[in-house]
Amino acid sequence: MNDSRRIRACRHRLEDGEAVVLSPGPNLTYLTGFETSPSERHFLLFVTPGDEPVVVAPAMYAEQLEGVPAEAELWDDDDDPRDVLEDVCTAVGDPECIYVDDRMWAQFTQDLRSVRPDAAYGLASEVLEDLRIRKDEAELEALSRAGELADRVSMEVRGRGKEVIGLTEAELASEIDRLLTEHGGEEPAFETIVASGPNGARPHHHSGDRVIEAGDPVVLDFGASVEADLEAGTARYPGDQTRTVVFAGDPTAEFRAVHGVVREAQRAAIEAVEPGVTAGEIDRVVRGVIESAGYGDAFVHRTGHGVGLEVHEPPYIVPGNDRELEAGMVFSIEPGIYLEDAFGVRIEDLVVVTEDGAQRLNESPRRWSSQ
Ligand code: ZN
Ligand code: ZN
């Protein structure tokens, strides 16, 4: 029997007759430390309450699977992998309820359904979300390293001041990506956003050819993933930080006022974080500050998202989410105000819920002035 703590915790959450079936992706990495890209070849990990996990995988994975805490059922390219699925379902006791990976390709869920048409089906997140949502020490260590890395790059870019004027958004974005890896990041955790002037009014702007001018507010949203040492294997955890900076020149009075509102909304929300408060309440605090400043309609997205093996994962800080915050959760608080044809402001930090409040994982300056 393997002794991986995370697999034990997963098995503990299952009742007799239930199974979790995972495909390559964050859930499988979470339980085993094993990372590979999903492909058309059947690669499925079965976890049941009573037996050792079984991994159905192409034979060419034999060597890579040696460290994986599961019994391997390998198939060759001339086998029909559905026969192997059939055998494994029988071997693990014919589960009546199968929780399939939320990220599993439809091809594989259909094959499972064809070999076990009478089973009930659910999503693996019903079993795993509560485990993944609270981060353990190794995860928190990696997330805070990713936060420090984003801080360092943020300060370095801000420090360039007027040198940035004249660059295109795309040029500044690729310079940020270069700095993220130069300072120890594995890779950008998502597409770096540099949104200058009126482009800032689009929260997910794709950095383009616009030249950054003096007086432009520039929304900078980036982070890199860093490697974490897990009990079994390694995995990558991301940073995610946003600052809105004016590199040179004077922004408008309205921009200064709006920046102050967003900063205050973010401060108030972080102040409100503690165990037992709901995610929806944090969203309400942010919205309250922005609405009372008269910009309610200009805050067009949720307040934040959890961060872990995925850059966006539960808990989602959205209106009405009655999920209570617990120590060890990590999420972003990223209020924004977006004024079409003018500018946008977003300030984002990741926070960890502690026993009595919140701790920020980002500490780089939040002011708009590059100095
Ligand atoms: Zn974010
Ligand atoms: Zn972000």
Side-chain angles (χ1 to χ4, degrees):
M1 198 70 77
N2 79 80
D3 59 355
S4 157
R5 189 171 42 80
R6 289 179 174 180
I7 287 180
R8 269 202 319 272
C10 172
R11 293 173 59 206
H12 192 70
R13 298 180 64 84
L14 292 170
E15 313 229 341
D16 283 342
E18 294 184 334
V20 167
V21 182
L22 303 179
S23 48
N27 284 324
L28 192 139
T29 300
Y30 182 81
L31 289 189
T32 65
F34 186 78
E35 272 189 297
T36 187
S37 303
S39 83
E40 76 289 357
R41 287 190 168 94
H42 290 63
F43 189 118
L44 300 162
L45 177 76
F46 286 70
V47 183
T48 53
D51 305 291
E52 182 171 18
V54 178
V55 61
V56 172
M60 60 183 175
Y61 277 94
E63 209 185 310
Q64 283 161 275
L65 287 171
E66 274 166 20
V68 172
E71 182 189 324
E73 284 294 335
L74 302 175
W75 57 274
D76 287 307
D77 280 343
D78 55 0
D79 293 331
D80 184 340
R82 280 168 300 188
D83 294 340
V84 185
L85 285 187
E86 169 72 49
D87 293 347
V88 169
C89 282
T90 307
V92 300
D94 273 322
E96 293 150 21
C97 179
I98 300 177
Y99 296 99
V100 296
D101 202 317
D102 301 50
R103 303 277 178 271
M104 186 181 287
W105 290 5
Q107 177 190 346
F108 306 122
T109 59
Q110 292 296 79
D111 283 347
L112 276 171
R113 283 177 190 276
S114 74
V115 300
R116 282 299 174 273
D118 297 329
Y121 286 85
L123 290 174
S125 56
E126 294 171 50
V127 179
L128 292 174
E129 182 179 311
D130 279 351
L131 299 177
R132 284 180 52 189
I133 207 165
R134 283 186 306 273
K135 273 58 188 178
D136 66 22
E137 239 166 83
E139 293 179 293
L140 291 174
E141 187 278 325
L143 286 163
S144 72
R145 232 176 332 117
E148 284 163 19
L149 170 61
D151 280 351
R152 188 167 168 191
V153 172
S154 179
M155 287 188 278
E156 190 162 336
V157 168
R158 180 188 282 274
R160 299 205 178 167
K162 60 181 190 316
E163 288 169 38
V164 168
I165 306 304
L167 295 181
T168 66
E169 294 171 344
E171 285 167 342
L172 182 56
S174 63
E175 177 60 5
I176 289 171
D177 290 351
R178 192 186 67 76
L179 290 170
L180 287 169
T181 46
E182 185 183 297
H183 292 319
E186 299 293 329
E187 65 202 340
F190 51 90
E191 187 183 307
T192 293
I193 296 175
V194 175
S196 65
N199 290 340
R202 295 186 229 153
H204 276 180
H205 176 66
H206 176 74
S207 316
D209 293 337
R210 188 179 183 279
V211 173
I212 298 166
E213 295 169 20
D216 277 348
V218 185
V219 178
L220 305 165
D221 186 351
F222 59 82
S225 34
V226 301
E227 201 102 312
D229 275 323
L230 304 179
E231 193 179 3
T234 56
R236 291 173 178 195
Y237 285 79
D240 185 8
Q241 173 187 121
T242 307
R243 297 290 181 261
T244 304
V245 177
V246 177
F247 286 97
D250 292 320
T252 61
E254 186 173 31
F255 167 77
R256 293 166 194 244
V258 165
H259 193 278
V261 172
V262 173
R263 202 167 159 179
E264 171 54 22
Q266 206 229 17
R267 193 203 57 76
I270 292 178
E271 189 88 340
V273 171
E274 62 177 341
V277 171
T278 66
E281 172 63 13
I282 302 304
D283 183 86
R284 207 188 55 76
V285 169
V286 162
R287 245 162 258 281
V289 173
I290 293 177
E291 277 164 15
S292 55
Y295 291 102
D297 293 342
F299 178 31
V300 295
H301 55 70
R302 63 190 176 204
T303 288
H305 53 86
V307 167
L309 283 172
E310 292 173 281
V311 189
H312 292 168
E313 62 175 43
Y316 292 103
I317 314 301
V318 290
N321 184 355
D322 55 14
R323 171 109 207 187
E324 287 185 9
L325 302 181
E326 295 169 64
M329 288 181 175
V330 177
F331 50 85
S332 71
I333 296 191
E334 49 181 306
I337 292 179
Y338 305 94
L339 301 177
E340 219 182 309
D341 300 324
F343 62 83
V345 175
R346 180 165 67 256
I347 300 176
E348 171 181 28
D349 290 299
L350 299 184
V351 299
V352 188
V353 183
T354 61
E355 293 301 333
D356 55 3
Q359 185 202 330
R360 293 184 194 248
L361 292 180
N362 303 105
E363 290 296 353
S364 77
R366 293 171 196 89
R367 63 178 178 271
W368 56 262
S369 151
S370 71
Q371 298 315 307

